[in-house]
Amino acid sequence: MKAAVLRQVGSPLLIEQVKIGKPGPHEVLIRTAAAGVCHSDLHFIEGSYPFPLPAVLGHESAGVVEQIGSEVRTVKVGDHVITCLSAYCGHCESCLTGRMSLCVSPETKRSAGQEPRLCEEVTPQRPGNMNQFLNLSSFAEQMLIHEHACVAIRKDMPLDVAALIGCSVTTGVGAVIHTSNVRAGETVAVIGCGGVGLAAINGAAIAGAGRIIAVDRFPSKLELAKSFGATDVVNANDGDAVAQVMELTSGGVHHSFEAIGLKATAEQSFKMLRRGGTANIIGMIPVGVNIELHGADFLGEKRIQGSLMGSNRFPVDMPRLVDFYLQGKLKLDQMISRRLKLEQINDAFDELRRGELARSVIVFDQ
Ligand SMILES: NC(=O)c1ccc[n+]([C@@H]2O[C@H](COP(=O)([O-])OP(=O)(O)OC[C@H]3O[C@@H](n4cnc5c(N)ncnc54)[C@H](O)[C@@H]3O)[C@@H](O)[C@H]2O)c1
Ligand SMILES: [Zn+2]
Ligand SMILES: [Zn+2]
């Protein structure tokens, strides 16, 4: 099958033929319909997060089940599914205490002794290994994954739009409703209006937030943010974003969401809180970077916390998010800026580096 492979940090992805295995007892083979291009893939391309290479990247996808393993009961052949990198085992401490998105059990992967899910043709230059990325590797015509890394959805849901729910939408909406538990009437600020930030804004609108302040550097992004539910916008290029938010809210927000992955904006997310407020760091801050806070601010009971994949319970959340889209509450059509072929994947990353458009989605021939 055709796949986009990262061989070297900092270099473009290469479209190559990669071999994919057959489903083991708890595995599912999926024909990929669409895969969104998330900034997290770019962090791995740029090396701010390390990963063993070569690897097939991609982790925001939807598709159709082609084959299932002998023990699979959660999906069947022909089902339309959304994938999720939060593969869960179902019986570790995280899973059993309702925090399944924190599961790190190795059971959802193949062990070192087993044949790998992906591999390449062995040549004198290439030993034949190919790493699966985040349990998924979505920039490929097929995916071989654990059954607990996907969920079946309604067939009237378009799969290119459904792909976004695989990461950015689950992450952004989940950060608001699960991680920070935004209540009706509370004030929210979202820093960074890419796919994840726009989903957080949309989630805040669904949760009934009173004011939703969007922060970005591009006027086009701020306009888009308004159509997702932002009540106020702040251009970070027009001076100190914290001062602008403080002025708009007369003393800070109840919840802030950092959706970029920078030290400066993570610190801003804490500084723009009112007393008792909570800052949520969604962005992937490069490994090795520390963030600094004023210790005295903790006396105002201000909190700062990470949010991983929206603290999801994805088999429950994703079908609900599909319903929200089909009811017109989730604005996923507006989130897709471009639909591209797999061969154009590097253009999508160039666009992501510029930051002006929302989401590019790779659509596969069916
Ligand atoms: N925690 C998680 O589970 C999780 C899941 C998905 C993505 N992420 C991370 O979330 C972040 C956002 O992902 P995305 O795909 O939405 O990215 P994106 O590149 O589409 O969006 C980032 C936005 O931030 C804006 N921006 C950049 N620098 C800015 C600044 N200094 N001030 C204001 N705005 C600025 C850009 O204009 C852009 O609109 C990334 O770090 C990604 O890796 C984390
Ligand atoms: Zn992602
Ligand atoms: Zn588990």
Side-chain angles (χ1 to χ4, degrees), residues 38-40 43 167 171 191-197 215-218 221 236 259-262 265 282-284 307-310 352 355 358-359:
C38 172
H39 207 116
S40 302
H43 291 309
C167 178
T171 299
I191 314 174
C193 300
V196 174
V215 184
D216 204 285
R217 305 176 296 182
F218 287 103
K221 281 285 178 62
I260 305 168
L262 297 174
T265 45
I282 307 172
M284 290 177 58
S307 178
L308 175 66
M309 291 302 291
L352 208 51
R359 216 45 160 197

Side-chain angles (χ1 to χ4, degrees), residues 129-147:
N129 65 313
M130 181 61 65
N131 293 288
Q132 188 175 42
F133 181 62
L134 308 181
N135 302 314
L136 298 174
S137 286
S138 306
F139 295 149
E141 291 174 314
Q142 290 170 304
M143 295 173 280
L144 180 59
I145 66 175
H146 193 275
E147 65 170 315

